[in-house]
Amino acid sequence: MSTSHISPRNVTLSIVKAIGIILMVMGHAGCPGFLCTLLYEFHMPLFFIAAGYFFSSRYLSDEATYVKKRIRRLYVPFVLWSVFFLLLHNGMFRLGVLNERFGNIAGGVTHPYSWHQMQQNLWNILCSMAGYDQFLAGAFWFFRALFVASIAYLVACKLALGMQHWLAGRFSWRRWNDDCWWIPLTVALAALLLAVWKTGEGLRILPLVQGGYREIMGTFFFACGHLFRCSVTRSFSSPVLAGWLRPRWWKALLLAAVVWAFACWAPASMDWKSDLVRCLSLPLPALAGFLFCCMVAVWLSRHGGRMGRWLAWCGDHTLSVFVLHLLAFKVVSLVKIAWYGLDPMQIGCHTVIHEHVHDDAFWLLYTLVGVGLPLLLDGTCQRVKRHFAKSECQNCG
């Protein structure tokens, strides 16, 4: 990637995140089978890689700042939104948005909470980043996985840095700097080996809900993102490396072919129930998909015009889409119920209404509303805040 278009302060990574969030919504919207398989190869790893890109070596001597940022940006939003949906849960049953007749594609699997269950879920939310509403906040595992992966990466880098200092004193190795690539590479390989060991032997990390596979693979992809940043930094002083990173159409085509091939013959995803084969099948297409999205984002940042600017804004506001898209789907479900004359209680289907899912294009409308409605609400809230801030300034003046 051209270093003039990949830096912590430009729009390229924002566009990459926008592509990722749109693909996530598309996957939840019930898009056609192979398309769904294709995007699951890379769309969730993309977020871990993008997060790792912004890791800086300064956090290794200022751990408190880094941990506070992770808590503020991941743990706090998780708790606030999980509690919000917890409080809505029983009310959604009264409205029929959740109901016991229709749940996921296998049938109704959700029930109203008793007072005791509400309290237990609250404890799970606070103490283990679990207990969130599976039907209204089913993607919230990402908060926990990224939070754990971020902290695990910091700890692993501190250990690797201690080893480097020990080696530097004996073998004249240079110390850490922002383009030092071997530490993130070491952490990435260690995390991948742990994932292979875990899936190969069917092991579980008991303190982590779902066993820890997503957190370990998240650490691997986070390290890959930081390694990519190191490569970009090094390319400033390396014309050869800069040439290899520069986007070209044939490179994008090759990367897309890699993702397509794995989707055909070795499909994988960040499913917490992944086995050894899927664990080994995930890294290459995930990394290829990220690089492909980076090349698309570079092109859009140069030539995308309004679309590029909108995607950059979308990428900076992914939280609203991530949190609210499943609730926004209910609006489209109402339209689908009216269109086909379905049982109104099918509003409770998760994630979308599954009747006619293979012979219509409602997944496109689900995607459009799942992305557009949360962003519309986000933008409206921002305008209201700016209006009140401006009014307060005028009153102070």
Side-chain angles (χ1 to χ4, degrees):
M1 212 64 51
S2 173
T3 55
S4 62
H5 292 276
I6 290 285
S7 72
R9 297 185 181 276
N10 68 21
V11 301
T12 303
L13 266 295
S14 294
I15 294 176
V16 168
K17 290 190 292 182
I19 294 171
I21 202 70
I22 292 169
L23 293 180
M24 184 202 74
V25 174
M26 190 180 295
H28 291 168
C31 62
F34 181 73
L35 177 60
C36 187
T37 301
L38 189 70
L39 61 89
Y40 268 86
E41 292 284 345
F42 66 93
H43 79 294
M44 291 312 295
L46 181 151
F47 290 103
F48 291 91
I49 301 171
Y53 180 84
F54 292 100
F55 185 87
S56 172
S57 62
R58 72 176 184 273
Y59 294 130
L60 294 173
S61 57
D62 189 11
E63 301 89 342
T65 297
Y66 180 73
V67 173
K68 287 176 183 177
K69 284 184 176 181
R70 295 291 87 189
I71 292 173
R72 185 173 70 252
R73 295 178 181 178
L74 293 172
Y75 178 77
V76 172
F78 170 83
V79 170
L80 292 177
W81 284 106
S82 295
V83 171
F84 172 76
F85 284 117
L86 177 64
L87 296 175
L88 285 183
H89 183 86
N90 286 359
M92 289 296 180
F93 268 91
R94 295 188 185 96
L95 295 174
V97 174
L98 297 176
N99 59 74
E100 293 178 324
R101 287 181 57 196
F102 299 97
N104 62 10
I105 199 167
V109 294
T110 188
H111 312 283
Y113 293 147
S114 66
W115 176 237
H116 175 77
Q117 288 172 314
M118 293 275 286
Q119 295 177 79
Q120 184 61 63
N121 281 10
L122 179 61
W123 275 88
N124 293 342
I125 289 168
L126 295 173
C127 300
S128 59
M129 296 186 75
Y132 48 85
D133 192 304
Q134 293 291 340
F135 277 56
L136 298 176
F140 276 28
W141 64 265
F142 173 76
F143 282 113
R144 180 186 64 250
L146 183 55
F147 181 76
V148 172
S150 301
I151 303 303
Y153 185 71
L154 175 67
V155 173
C157 283
K158 291 285 287 185
L159 294 173
L161 182 61
M163 181 184 297
Q164 187 197 40
H165 286 171
W166 182 83
L167 293 170
R170 287 159 176 78
F171 303 103
S172 299
W173 283 32
R174 67 177 180 176
R175 296 181 182 275
W176 175 286
N177 52 55
D178 268 341
D179 70 343
C180 183
W181 56 268
W182 80 268
I183 290 182
L185 178 61
T186 300
V187 176
L189 292 175
L192 186 58
L193 287 174
L194 284 175
V196 169
W197 181 21
K198 180 194 180 303
T199 54
E201 295 295 331
L203 305 175
R204 292 177 59 86
I205 303 176
L206 295 180
L208 291 176
V209 178
Q210 300 179 338
Y213 173 76
R214 284 167 162 166
E215 287 76 8
I216 295 174
M217 289 303 294
T219 305
F220 166 76
F221 289 120
F222 193 97
C224 290
H226 191 206
L227 182 61
F228 179 62
R229 177 193 177 112
C230 294
S231 300
V232 169
T233 304
R234 287 170 63 86
S235 69
F236 279 110
S237 57
S238 173
V240 174
L241 184 57
W244 277 105
L245 291 173
R246 189 172 297 116
R248 292 289 184 268
W249 69 267
W250 61 268
K251 296 178 187 177
L253 188 61
L254 179 61
L255 292 168
V258 170
V259 179
W260 181 86
F262 273 86
C264 288
W265 294 294
S269 69
M270 287 195 72
D271 188 340
W272 66 276
K273 295 178 287 187
S274 291
D275 54 23
L276 179 59
V277 173
R278 286 183 286 177
C279 173
L280 293 172
S281 300
L282 181 61
L284 186 56
L287 294 173
F290 170 77
L291 292 174
F292 173 81
C293 289
C294 281
M295 292 187 179
V296 172
V298 168
W299 187 89
L300 287 170
S301 68
R302 295 173 179 173
H303 310 292
R306 290 184 178 179
M307 177 179 289
R309 291 191 293 273
W310 180 84
L311 285 172
W313 182 83
C314 175
D316 292 333
H317 297 81
T318 55
L319 178 62
S320 59
V321 180
F322 182 80
V323 167
L324 297 174
H325 73 282
L326 292 179
L327 195 57
F329 281 176
K330 302 301 181 182
V331 176
V332 183
S333 292
L334 287 174
V335 175
K336 188 167 184 176
I337 288 168
W339 182 267
Y340 288 108
L342 302 174
D343 185 338
M345 296 301 286
Q346 288 211 38
I347 188 73
C349 288
H350 179 73
T351 54
V352 299
I353 294 177
H354 302 287
E355 283 195 38
H356 305 284
V357 72
H358 299 299
D359 55 10
D360 66 21
F362 260 89
W363 65 273
L364 292 172
L365 185 58
Y366 275 112
T367 302
L368 179 63
V369 174
V371 174
L373 184 56
L375 288 178
L376 178 62
L377 293 173
D378 191 312
T380 302
C381 289
Q382 293 298 324
R383 292 190 194 95
V384 171
K385 288 180 181 178
R386 288 194 296 269
H387 173 75
F388 280 107
K390 184 177 180 180
S391 299
E392 289 179 4
C393 290
Q394 291 174 346
N395 292 334
C396 291

